[in-house]
Amino acid sequence: LKVWESALDLVHYLARSGLALKGKRVLEVGCGAGFPGLYCLQQRALVDFQDYNREVLERLTIPNVLLNRPGDYSYESKFWAGDWAAIRLLVCKT
């Protein structure tokens, strides 16, 4: 598995930007390990995760989120597997 350098660059950008994320809805598309989404969770955003590969979600993303989300944060992230074309349909159902 590979963590894309751009995911780490995005986390650094968000950390430096001062962007207020608390309470914002975030969907990390093509999440893999989910580092940008995890950063947003640490900032109390409402983060959901999508990856094309269900196995990546089950073996990497979900365990990573469960281990690293804030312990006192009650938002239950959703995890979607599948093609990007289906995201709109999935998101609109919730």
Side-chain angles (χ1 to χ4, degrees):
L1 292 174
K2 176 174 178 54
V3 174
W4 293 101
E5 186 177 330
S6 59
L8 301 176
D9 291 342
L10 179 55
V11 171
H12 289 123
Y13 171 79
L14 290 170
R16 288 190 312 268
S17 74
L19 183 65
L21 294 169
K22 184 176 183 177
K24 301 285 191 221
R25 301 256 346 187
V26 175
L27 173 62
E28 187 177 354
V29 178
C31 61
F35 290 148
L38 282 167
Y39 174 80
C40 294
L41 277 175
Q42 293 291 329
Q43 304 305 307
R44 301 300 200 258
L46 311 172
V47 184
D48 297 321
F49 298 85
Q50 182 277 341
D51 199 277
Y52 181 81
N53 189 324
R54 179 174 301 281
E55 190 172 359
V56 168
L57 288 171
E58 292 171 352
R59 293 182 182 228
L60 180 63
T61 314
I62 294 170
N64 205 18
V65 169
L66 293 176
L67 287 170
N68 294 293
R69 71 178 176 197
D72 61 341
Y73 196 47
S74 63
Y75 180 74
E76 293 294 328
S77 295
K78 295 174 190 71
F79 301 89
W80 289 299
D83 191 280
W84 291 359
I87 293 173
R88 182 180 60 84
L89 299 173
L90 292 169
V91 172
C92 290
K93 286 182 182 179
T94 59

